[in-house]
Amino acid sequence: MLIAIAGALIISTSAPLVRLAEVTPATSAFFRCAYAVPPMLVLAWLERRRLGPLTGRPRRLAWVAGLTFAFDLLFWHHTIDYVGAGLATVLGNLQVFIVAFAAWALFRERPSTPLMIATPVVFGGVVLISGVFDSAAYGADPALGVLTGVATSISYAAFLLLMKAGSGRAAGPLAHATVVATLAIAALSPLFGGASFVPQWPAHGWLLLLALGPQVLGWLLITYSLPRQPAVLTALLLLVQPVTTVVLSAVTLGERPSALQLAGCAVVVLGVLYGSRRGQAGRATREQDEQVPNTSTV
């Protein structure tokens, strides 16, 4: 759980770094992946030396995950333009509900009662953070931002589930997914406002930091944790992102959340703590219960 939280905290710097780069959404989406490819290939090579090549179904799943990640980034970077870094991160993390029901259907991971209780509580916090109850909506086009934010959540949920269904490795699948995402973003960029492929300073200093920090280190930690815990729990933990991003956006970009949005941050944190702690306890209890009959029948 701590690894997932660390990854989520690192990834929470993504939106502020995108805003600081001040480039088009397709440009920032492309270079955050392109700059991440070389270190990811090195890490994947080191992993391959220990575990062998990534082949067959896990590799194909990583390729499909890369395509969904491309759509995730393209939609999300547009959402940042429409509603700001903090609210865009909130809208991009609504995947918790998609993951919860998809994981139930695909992986037979029936959510525990406390986790299901925590989910609507967290959603309530997300709604407060979004500012829908505030008289003055923040952002250039909040309505369009909601649409691209929902599209981001759907793509993000697909990416998480595909990575979870893979080999259980960290570097190899993420390297394959990053390469595919880079190529897909380049091909799709004309449909998303176009991208500039000529590096400029200081914009690309921020993009390089975005690639090495959230894209490489943050997602390595998240990818490592995905197969080792229920998918819905990982998605719930990733909701730490909007809380941290709202704070960072206020400090670095001057985005000022309202009192209701700050209350939403507190609700999200409490919901994540309750859902993850009780969920782990429930899983440990189930594992102990499964061991008891086996011991008694020996």
Side-chain angles (χ1 to χ4, degrees), residues 261-287:
Q261 289 172 319
L262 291 176
C265 292
V267 171
V268 168
V269 171
L270 292 175
V272 169
L273 288 176
Y274 176 78
S276 61
R277 184 177 301 173
R278 300 283 181 169
Q280 281 194 336
R283 183 172 57 184
T285 300
R286 287 194 301 271
E287 290 173 353

Side-chain angles (χ1 to χ4, degrees), residues 66-78:
L67 181 60
T68 62
F69 193 57
F71 281 104
D72 168 34
L73 292 181
L74 287 168
F75 283 125
W76 185 57
H77 285 216
H78 274 283

Side-chain angles (χ1 to χ4, degrees), residues 143-295:
L144 188 55
V146 168
L147 293 178
T148 56
V150 170
T152 299
S153 292
I154 294 172
S155 304
Y156 195 14
F159 172 74
L160 290 175
L161 290 168
L162 286 165
M163 293 299 285
K164 176 182 172 56
S167 64
R169 302 185 188 184
L174 192 56
H176 280 272
T178 303
V179 171
V180 171
T182 304
L183 297 175
I185 291 169
L188 294 168
S189 62
L191 302 177
F192 289 84
S196 172
F197 301 106
V198 180
Q200 296 179 347
W201 189 262
H204 281 253
W206 295 115
L207 293 178
L208 183 61
L209 184 59
L210 173 65
L212 297 181
Q215 189 63 34
V216 176
L217 181 57
W219 271 112
L220 270 177
L221 296 176
I222 292 297
T223 304
Y224 175 84
S225 69
L226 279 177
R228 293 165 174 80
Q229 58 189 334
V232 65
L233 179 56
T234 300
L236 194 61
L237 286 170
L238 288 178
L239 282 172
V240 170
Q241 277 184 258
V243 179
T244 309
T245 302
V246 166
V247 175
L248 288 175
S249 299
V251 174
T252 62
L253 304 173
E255 296 182 3
R256 294 290 179 262
S258 66
L260 282 177
Q261 289 172 319
L262 291 176
C265 292
V267 171
V268 168
V269 171
L270 292 175
V272 169
L273 288 176
Y274 176 78
S276 61
R277 184 177 301 173
R278 300 283 181 169
Q280 281 194 336
R283 183 172 57 184
T285 300
R286 287 194 301 271
E287 290 173 353
Q288 291 176 358
D289 291 342
E290 290 172 357
Q291 292 172 359
V292 171
N294 293 336
T295 302

Side-chain angles (χ1 to χ4, degrees), residues 59-131:
R59 184 172 62 184
R60 292 192 296 271
L61 286 174
W63 291 346
V64 180
L67 181 60
T68 62
F69 193 57
F71 281 104
D72 168 34
L73 292 181
L74 287 168
F75 283 125
W76 185 57
H77 285 216
H78 274 283
T79 308
I80 294 171
D81 264 8
Y82 296 144
V83 295
L87 299 184
T89 304
V90 172
L91 292 170
N93 278 276
L94 298 179
Q95 89 290 344
V96 61
F97 304 101
I98 303 170
V99 169
F101 291 103
W104 193 351
L106 296 175
F107 305 125
R108 301 297 185 268
E109 291 181 0
R110 185 183 180 91
S112 66
T113 300
L115 196 60
M116 291 304 290
I117 292 174
T119 299
V121 171
V122 168
F123 177 71
V126 168
V127 171
L128 290 176
I129 294 173
S130 70

